[in-house]
Structures are given as structure tokens and as C-alpha cells.
Amino acid sequence: MSHDKDIPAKAQSAELYHRAEERLQNLMAQAGPKSSTRTAKLIRELVVHQTNPEIQSREHLHDKIEKLASLYDICHDMMLLQSVEELCKRIVNHIASAMHDSKVSIPVIEIDGRQFTTGQFDENVSKVLSAQIIVNGTVCGQIYVFYKDNNTCFLPEEQSFLNTIADDLGLWLERKQQFDARETRLEEIKRIESALDSHAIIAITDRRGRITHVNKKFCELSQYSIEELLGKDHRIINSGYHPKDFIRNLWETIKAGNIWHGNIRNRAKDGSFYWVNTTIVPFMDQVGKPYQYVAIRTEVTKHKQLEQQMEAQVAELARSNDELEQFAYVITHDLQEPLRAITSFVQLLKKYCDDQLDEHADELIMHAVAGTKRMQILINDLLSYSQVDADQSPVTVDCAIMIENILTDYSVIIGESNAVITYDALPIVKGVPSQLTQLFANLINNALKFQREQPPKIHISAEFKANVWVFSVADNGIGIETQHIDEIFRVFQRLHSQKEYTGTGIGLAICKKIVEYHGGRIWVESQPNQGSNFYFTIRK
């Protein structure tokens, strides 16, 4: 009789077993391959090792089925949820639901210092099941089950149940980290793309040059819509400005897998023209052939217009300078002849009328001759000043040898004035030899001319600072008053009369122009009756 009474219970257990098996199949179909493998392993531990459901107690089988159902629900939640907090709250509820029949237990999940549980628990209790949550090989948390009954005996399947949940949660956290990293990267790429779109004009074409993508700025500049551009090639915006060789070179470059860079003039939909600075990058396939081209452009229409205007102005300036040089040469040459004639006639007049002229007449004739000579010097200086900007190729100049040559030319004047001229080691620079010689000669000549009662002392030195040579020509002459320092480099600017010191007032202006032609600057430091120190720079 007892055997007959057990038949319905056994049948019910078998039915429950088959239902569990059916839910397992659904679980393995919906969960990922890794989760399915771990769950199948647990199923073998829970069910398969007891293949005959008739020998299992109804209560024991029901407990196992509850755990299976909990694993199914946990896997389902892992596929749907993205929040760690929400998932952990769901898991502790599932664990509590699966284990509440046999014992009074409280599950706890601890991840990165945060705890998730279903109720109050005492951390000092001795009966605790736990499983580590491992993410990328590192322990990042634990799953605990605290039992209020310290006499509880653990079954192996309960530890397996907990281990399986911990393993699946670790895998879920790994995938979430990867997903979050991808999302962060995608968001960063979107921001970069947005920043690029705000400045650059972007177009992507296939291997045949047909447009597959354009950004908003491309449409704004070309005045074509996206629909009008997609599927077309760049002939739709071809201005016809560039020769065929230019276009052929562009295509040969990018088809060979090389980056092309240059300026292109395009035509907008309304017929207006615009310039773009363009970089075209080919994308290569596995066999080394381009499968698409990405063109990044920046509009440079205004810059190109300014460049063309500047080129025209430079050409006009060059033409004007040539005319001025020719004019200066003609003027100075034509002025020299009448001055020579005046000097000759005045001297002849003195020769033929010498016995008839008194001292006053002789003095007037002397002034006339001196005036014409000064006029000749002034014309020569003007010619030198106008020729400073003439196009002359710079060469290497040994400043020490140049100074020696100047001192040789000035040896008579140096001897007559008992001057002492010294110089330190001087560099080799690049410049126009005739102009640099004139520069140093003018400064030395001024130092000899504007002397005090004691013999002149002049020292020349050079020091390398901030990628330029700083030259110094120092003297012990009469010096310059502070209020006149800014005036001395102007044309025809003289601080003394001809009776005091001869000159045209152009020498220092020529020095300034020569230094600026060589890319430098010139200045002076001076005190009256103590001397002056002229500085100028020449690039290395």
C-alpha cells in the first residue's frame, strides 16, 4: 500500500524534473555561450548526477528547481539590465528566493566598497558561504550568504550555485566595462567629429571617386544638398581653373596610396568660386589598393585673395623700386655733370682773372668750389642710400678681414688723428659685402670725425645672443645728447654745422637701412663728452 501511495509523488517529481529540464533548454538558448556553459555545469551537479528523479525527495528536488529558476531569472536580468546597482539588487532577491525554504539566510553582494542585500545581517556570524567576483583576473568583490542558524550544514550544490552566480556576474561586469569603454570612446569620437565638422570640410568617396559622405560644412560651402552630392563625383564642383596635369597628378598620387595636399579652386552651385586647402588620404584594403578616399578641406578663399593682392603689390613695388633706382641713377649722373662744369668754370675764372680779383672775390670763388664739392658728395651719398635695397645675393663675409681692409683704407686719417682702433675676435656672417663694408666704414668714420681733444679710441666687438650677432662700435668722442638719439638715423639729420663737422647727414641713415636690409636693427647708447656705443644685429 505504501508503495502505491508513493506513485503520485514520484510522478509529480518526474514532472517537476522535466519542467526544470525544459527551463534549462530555454535558459541555454537565451543566455550567452559562456553563461550557458557554466549553468549547464551546475545543472549536472544539481540534477544529472541523480538521473532517476524517483529516488529524490520531493523537497530536495523542489529546492534544486528553485535554484534553476533563479539562475534562469538572473541570466535573463543580465541580458536586459545595464545598471550594476539594479542588477545586484535583483540578484540578492533571486538568491534569497532560491534559498529561503531550507534555511533562514541573508545574501549580500559587495562590489567596490558598495553592499547590496535583502535585510539586516551580523558580519560576526560564523556560518557564511562566499564566492569571489573576478573581473579581468582581479577580485573586485564577493557574494556572501549569511546563515542565522549556526548549525546549518552546507550542501556542495549550494556553493556551486553561489560560484556560478559570481562567475556570471564577473563576466557581466567585464562585458559592461568593455561596453562602457566603447561608449566613452564613441562619445569622444562624436565630440572630436563635432569639433572637426565645425572647422573642416569633409567628404568621403569610393575608389571611383563617387561621393559617399559629406558633412554639413561641405554643403554650406558648395551650396549643394546632401542628396544632390551623394553618388556624384567632384566634377560637380569643378571650377575648370586647374589644368589637366594638375588633376592627373592628384589622382596618380592618391591611387598609389600616397597622401595629396594642395590648394584647389572649386565652384559653388550659384557659380561663385572658392578656394580650399585640401588633404586627401587614401584608405587601403588588404591587397594594398585604395577602397575609399577621405578629403579634409579648409576654406582659404580670403587668404588666397589676400595672397594674390600681395603678389600684385610686391610685383608693383618691385617695378616701382626699379624705376626709382633708375631715376636715382639718372638724376645723380645728370647732376654730376653740371656740378663738374660749374667747378671747372669757377676755377678757370679764377685762373684767368687772378690778377684782377681781390681777396673777397677769391673767397667767393673758394666757397663756390667747396659748395659744388659738397653737392657732389651729397649726390653720391644719395645714390648709395637708394641702392641699399637693390637685389644683391648675400654671401659669407669674414668680419675680421673686412675690418682689416677698412683700417688699411683709413690708415692716413688714423695716423693723422693718432687714433687707436682695436677689435675682438669677429664672426663670419652672411650678407652683402659692399653694404657691410659701408656700414662699418661709416661708423668708424663718424668715430674718427666726432672726436674730442684727446686722440680717438675705437673698439669693435661682437657677441652672440638669441640667435643673432650683436656688434658694437664704441668710441670716446663727443657723444650725443639724449633728446637727439632718435633723430640721428634720419636722412639729412645733422646736429652740427658744416664749420664744426663736415658731412651730409646721410651716413647713419645709410647704416640703418643696411642693417634693416639684413634683418637686424641698430641703436646707440651715448652720453655727452664721454663717447658713444653703436649697436646693431646681424642674423646668424
Side-chain angles (χ1 to χ4, degrees):
M1 293 292 292
S2 60
H3 178 73
D4 293 337
K5 290 180 181 179
D6 288 338
I7 291 176
K10 292 177 182 178
Q12 187 175 11
S13 296
E15 184 181 354
L16 289 172
Y17 176 81
H18 291 305
R19 288 179 182 175
E21 187 178 22
E22 183 180 353
R23 295 185 72 182
L24 170 63
Q25 296 299 328
N26 293 333
L27 171 65
M28 294 179 68
Q30 295 186 38
K34 292 184 179 179
S35 297
S36 298
T37 301
R38 283 180 169 79
T39 305
K41 181 180 178 183
L42 178 64
I43 294 305
R44 285 195 299 270
E45 294 177 358
L46 294 177
V47 179
V48 176
H49 75 284
Q50 298 182 15
T51 55
N52 185 2
E54 295 180 354
I55 66 174
Q56 301 180 55
S57 69
R58 180 178 180 182
E59 180 181 354
H60 195 190
L61 185 59
H62 182 269
D63 184 61
K64 293 177 181 178
I65 293 173
E66 285 294 330
K67 289 183 174 59
L68 286 175
S70 297
L71 287 175
Y72 175 86
D73 292 335
I74 289 171
C75 288
H76 185 263
D77 290 339
M78 286 181 177
M79 288 186 289
L80 296 180
L81 301 178
Q82 292 295 326
S83 167
V84 175
E85 182 175 356
E86 186 175 356
L87 178 62
C88 289
K89 288 179 179 179
R90 294 276 190 94
I91 291 175
V92 292
N93 286 327
H94 291 312
I95 294 174
S97 175
M99 303 181 74
H100 80 288
D101 284 344
S102 57
K103 309 162 190 73
V104 179
S105 59
I106 299 176
V108 178
I109 297 179
E110 185 176 86
I111 297 179
D112 297 330
R114 292 186 298 170
Q115 289 184 340
F116 306 91
T117 184
T118 57
Q120 298 294 325
F121 66 93
D122 184 358
E123 295 184 359
N124 295 319
V125 297
S126 59
K127 290 295 182 178
V128 178
L129 273 180
S130 68
Q132 291 182 335
I133 302 171
I134 299 175
V135 178
N136 296 319
T138 302
V139 177
C140 73
Q142 296 264 1
I143 299 179
Y144 301 98
V145 177
F146 292 87
Y147 293 94
K148 294 183 178 181
D149 184 1
N150 289 335
N151 296 320
T152 301
C153 294
F154 302 134
L155 296 175
E157 57 210 41
E158 292 179 332
Q159 185 65 57
S160 297
F161 174 67
L162 214 60
N163 289 342
T164 299
I165 296 174
D167 289 346
D168 285 351
L169 182 56
L171 288 173
W172 184 89
L173 290 170
E174 285 182 13
R175 290 195 295 269
K176 178 170 175 55
Q177 286 182 0
Q178 295 169 359
F179 176 81
D180 291 346
R182 285 195 299 269
E183 287 294 305
T184 300
R185 183 59 180 162
L186 286 173
E187 186 63 31
E188 183 180 355
I189 291 173
K190 288 179 181 179
R191 289 196 296 266
I192 294 173
E193 184 179 7
S194 176
L196 190 61
D197 282 345
S198 66
H199 172 76
I201 305 151
I202 301 173
I204 301 176
T205 62
D206 61 16
R207 67 179 66 213
R208 297 181 180 179
R210 292 176 300 195
I211 298 171
T212 59
H213 171 80
V214 291
N215 68 342
K216 183 178 178 181
K217 205 164 187 68
F218 189 105
C219 297
E220 290 175 355
L221 191 59
S222 68
Q223 301 174 15
Y224 288 98
S225 66
I226 293 178
E227 293 74 19
E228 290 175 308
L229 292 168
L230 293 181
K232 305 293 193 305
D233 60 32
H234 277 76
R235 282 179 291 188
I236 192 173
I237 55 172
N238 187 3
S239 65
Y241 174 82
H242 301 283
K244 292 182 179 180
D245 289 343
F246 178 88
I247 305 299
R248 186 182 301 112
N249 172 263
L250 185 156
W251 272 105
E252 289 176 353
T253 300
I254 60 177
K255 281 185 176 180
N258 299 315
I259 296 173
W260 185 88
H261 182 79
N263 291 323
I264 300 177
R265 190 176 84 158
N266 289 331
R267 181 176 59 192
K269 188 176 182 179
D270 66 354
S272 61
F273 297 103
Y274 61 93
W275 283 88
V276 284
N277 183 264
T278 304
T279 299
I280 304 176
V281 182
F283 281 45
M284 315 301 287
D285 58 20
Q286 294 180 348
V287 296
K289 292 186 177 181
Y291 67 90
Q292 70 176 11
Y293 304 98
V294 176
I296 302 174
R297 302 177 175 91
T298 304
E299 186 187 7
V300 291
T301 305
K302 292 182 180 179
H303 175 77
K304 198 69 179 178
Q305 291 171 347
L306 290 174
E307 186 180 89
Q308 292 171 345
Q309 292 175 6
M310 188 176 295
E311 288 175 355
Q313 290 173 353
V314 168
E316 177 61 23
L317 185 60
R319 185 194 62 77
S320 177
N321 284 340
D322 288 341
E323 291 181 354
L324 286 174
E325 287 179 21
Q326 294 174 7
F327 176 76
Y329 179 79
V330 170
I331 291 297
T332 53
H333 183 270
D334 290 348
L335 286 176
Q336 294 277 15
E337 291 305 318
L339 284 175
R340 292 193 189 99
I342 292 171
T343 302
S344 299
F345 290 147
V346 171
Q347 289 174 341
L348 286 174
L349 178 64
K350 184 177 185 305
K351 179 179 179 181
Y352 290 121
C353 302
D354 192 32
D355 296 337
Q356 304 175 21
L357 299 175
D358 55 15
E359 292 182 0
H360 183 63
D362 287 339
E363 185 179 354
L364 292 176
I365 291 175
M366 181 184 67
H367 285 312
V369 173
T372 55
K373 287 181 178 179
R374 285 197 304 274
M375 190 65 179
Q376 286 177 329
I377 294 172
L378 180 61
I379 291 170
N380 289 331
D381 285 349
L382 280 173
L383 183 60
S384 298
Y385 184 80
S386 67
Q387 290 176 338
V388 169
D389 289 333
D391 188 13
Q392 302 180 60
S393 300
V395 296
T396 55
V397 178
D398 190 327
C399 293
I401 296 176
M402 179 179 62
I403 294 298
E404 281 292 338
N405 293 334
I406 294 173
L407 297 183
T408 299
D409 294 339
Y410 280 35
S411 58
V412 175
I413 302 175
I414 294 171
E416 290 176 351
S417 60
N418 295 319
V420 177
I421 301 179
T422 57
Y423 57 91
D424 296 334
L426 298 176
I428 295 175
V429 298
K430 202 165 188 178
V432 180
S434 61
Q435 293 185 7
L436 294 180
T437 299
Q438 188 174 16
L439 169 64
F440 279 98
N442 283 0
L443 294 176
I444 292 172
N445 184 57
N446 278 358
L448 292 172
K449 182 195 303 183
F450 297 103
Q451 59 177 292
R452 291 184 288 163
E453 295 179 358
Q454 67 269 38
K457 289 184 178 180
I458 304 169
H459 183 70
I460 304 168
S461 62
E463 184 179 3
F464 190 71
K465 290 182 179 180
N467 208 36
V468 295
W469 284 104
V470 181
F471 288 87
S472 167
V473 180
D475 63 55
N476 64 340
I478 61 174
I480 306 168
E481 294 182 357
T482 304
Q483 64 268 29
H484 299 307
I485 284 180
D486 293 334
E487 302 174 5
I488 61 175
F489 294 106
R490 299 174 186 170
V491 179
F492 300 129
Q493 187 64 47
R494 291 179 50 83
L495 304 181
H496 307 279
S497 66
Q498 284 288 343
K499 290 183 179 180
E500 293 176 299
Y501 300 99
T502 59
T504 59
I506 299 179
L508 288 177
I510 292 176
C511 290
K512 183 175 185 291
K513 199 169 186 182
I514 291 173
V515 170
E516 290 177 348
Y517 181 78
H518 285 77
R521 66 187 187 94
I522 187 170
W523 70 98
V524 62
E525 295 177 359
S526 182
Q527 291 184 3
N529 298 318
Q530 292 188 24
S532 301
N533 196 344
F534 284 85
Y535 297 93
F536 62 90
T537 62
I538 299 292
R539 287 180 294 185
K540 183 179 179 181

